[in-house]
Amino acid sequence: MEGPDLEQSLTRLLGPGEPELGCDKCFDHLDRYVELELAGADADAGVPGLRAHLAGCPACREEYESLRALVAGEQAL
């Protein structure tokens, strides 16, 4: 196991090097985070801890990726 898979496994085992949100808070702020990202704003400053949570939580990361694709698709219309 090398590269991104190893890095993701280590992050899940060791936890992030910064404070992170829990799943409930992640879902509460995910819309805002995606909107900030797609607007070119600093989403990590706008919603601190969310990026760290996404790095270690496959379920929330999947939700994030789906929401980002949906919103990006709507903006393209």
Side-chain angles (χ1 to χ4, degrees):
M1 182 185 312
E2 293 183 21
D5 290 337
L6 177 59
E7 187 175 324
Q8 287 177 355
S9 294
L10 286 174
T11 299
R12 279 192 288 249
L13 286 172
L14 301 175
E18 61 187 88
E20 71 172 284
L21 301 177
C23 291
D24 290 340
K25 290 287 184 186
C26 177
F27 282 115
D28 289 346
H29 297 288
L30 199 55
D31 291 348
R32 180 166 182 257
Y33 188 84
V34 168
E35 288 173 1
L36 289 170
E37 257 190 346
L38 293 175
D42 186 355
D44 294 324
V47 187
L50 199 136
R51 170 92 34 215
H53 181 76
L54 294 176
C57 181
C60 288
R61 187 173 50 254
E62 184 178 324
E63 184 69 21
Y64 157 77
E65 290 168 356
S66 296
L67 180 61
R68 184 174 162 89
L70 176 69
V71 174
E74 288 176 355
Q75 286 182 351
L77 295 176

